[in-house]
Amino acid sequence: MKIIKIGGSLITDKSQYRKFDEENARAIIREISGDQFILVHGGGSFGHIASKKYGLPGKMSKETVFGSSVVKNDMALLNNYLISIMEEEGIPAIGFSPFNLWNGEHFDYAPVARMYELGAVPVIYGDAFVDRDYVRIESGDDIMVDIARIFKPQSAIFLSDVDGVFDDDPKKNPGARMIGKFNGEEIMFQGVDNDVTGGMMKKFNSMIECRQIGVKTYLINGKYPQRMRDIGKGEFLGTEFV
Ligand code: ATP
Ligand code: IP8
């Protein structure tokens, strides 16, 4: 089994509220269809812009509860866009929000496991959820770590809008060097605009955790989803945590 996370930067325009990138989303879904898998996706401009606007994550208040309503509805919309494409491609996709999986103590992935056993492709997404007196945000990167631990997949693939992990942000430092195989090099991370969950640094830490669990983990540029075919080959372009 493999688990794949599609970064919000690939399926939305992160600078425009609720702008879906259908073409890119379809290209990725066409590439990953085939064997059964579990899909995770991030929020992009359906999750981060409204979270920032309403102070999420944050202590429970009239404003953050309203924000949880907006974010939850917007994320459900993004998930529905993806699931509709998956259905058109013949994939039996079922969406899951962490809002509904939270049992007050931890996320309960039993319904996800059940649908996977029945042959469906679970599609879990980053979302707001309510925990005691806080409105929190569960990011897709955290979900990847949880499901890596529970499902013990053969590989965990993170798709984002850069070729891999660099020693500095390649969009801000044109001299940044890409790291093909991570071996503990020092890395600088720059923040991303419109992101409330920690950008590449968070993703990087989640990828390290997946690897520590014993799962072969990769960061690949999802604008070129065909690069996933080269995993394990000499010509592979991306960052490996193996
Ligand atoms: P998510 O759904 O979790 O938000 P995402 O694919 O949208 O996932 P971002 O959070 O936008 O990912 O992070 C990707 C961005 O991180 C890249 O566009 C890049 O500019 C930035 N970045 C910062 N530091 C680095 C680094 N050292 N290596 C690679 N990218 C970096
Ligand atoms: O984009 C966070 O998920 P991520 C989703 O994977 C929200 O960090 C609601 C901001």
Side-chain angles (χ1 to χ4, degrees):
M1 180 217 264
K2 62 185 168 198
I3 60 175
I4 303 167
K5 179 191 174 192
I6 308 180
S9 57
L10 293 166
I11 47 173
T12 79
D13 176 344
K14 271 185 131 163
S15 65
Q16 283 188 63
Y17 180 51
R18 290 199 319 200
K19 181 98 173 79
F20 181 56
D21 187 337
E22 182 179 341
E23 203 182 321
N24 230 6
R26 193 176 292 276
I28 293 170
I29 286 164
R30 285 205 169 137
E31 186 65 39
I32 58 188
S33 59
D35 295 342
Q36 203 191 359
F37 55 98
I38 297 181
L39 188 63
V40 176
H41 68 83
S45 63
F46 288 68
H48 293 269
I49 294 177
S51 294
K52 209 166 190 175
K53 179 172 174 190
Y54 295 104
L56 307 186
K59 214 170 162 35
M60 190 88 73
S61 69
K62 219 171 164 180
E63 194 194 15
T64 55
V65 171
F66 189 79
S68 72
S69 158
V70 174
V71 170
K72 189 171 180 300
N73 284 324
D74 289 351
M75 285 306 303
L77 183 63
L78 176 60
N79 182 251
N80 270 316
Y81 283 148
L82 275 185
I83 295 225
S84 302
I85 296 176
M86 293 174 84
E87 275 176 8
E88 283 165 26
E89 298 295 326
I91 303 169
I94 308 278
F96 289 96
S97 162
F99 187 100
N100 305 102
L101 300 177
W102 181 248
N103 69 7
E105 294 290 330
H106 58 85
F107 296 102
D108 177 4
Y109 287 94
V112 174
R114 175 80 182 125
M115 290 317 298
Y116 186 83
E117 279 159 18
L118 291 176
V121 171
V123 186
I124 321 169
Y125 52 99
D127 204 353
F129 70 102
V130 172
D131 174 27
R132 297 186 181 93
D133 53 352
Y134 269 88
V135 180
R136 300 194 188 277
I137 302 281
E138 177 72 353
S139 90
D141 296 331
D142 288 326
I143 295 169
M144 286 292 277
V145 176
D146 276 357
I147 61 175
R149 196 169 284 124
I150 294 168
F151 295 93
K152 296 274 179 323
Q154 269 147 6
S155 57
I157 301 170
F158 289 74
L159 299 174
S160 188
D161 67 344
V162 279
D163 286 343
V165 178
F166 287 67
D167 59 2
D168 194 3
D169 186 344
K171 289 194 183 152
K172 293 186 179 144
N173 176 357
R177 197 179 53 87
M178 202 190 96
I179 294 164
K181 245 184 207 163
F182 179 69
N183 277 318
E185 294 87 342
E186 192 177 330
I187 298 180
M188 312 247 286
F189 295 103
Q190 309 290 334
V192 183
D193 291 342
N194 292 331
D195 195 300
V196 296
T197 50
M200 182 55 76
M201 188 149 117
K202 161 126 205 139
K203 199 181 300 304
F204 175 78
N205 288 327
S206 300
M207 291 187 290
I208 300 267
E209 276 194 71
C210 286
R211 178 61 202 112
Q212 280 165 352
I213 292 164
V215 178
K216 288 182 180 164
T217 302
Y218 305 88
L219 178 68
I220 298 174
N221 192 336
K223 289 186 199 155
Y224 309 97
Q226 67 281 5
R227 288 183 185 172
M228 282 185 278
R229 295 178 214 164
D230 293 334
I231 286 177
K233 298 186 192 158
E235 56 268 40
F236 173 71
L237 186 55
T239 300
E240 297 179 338
F241 300 75
V242 294

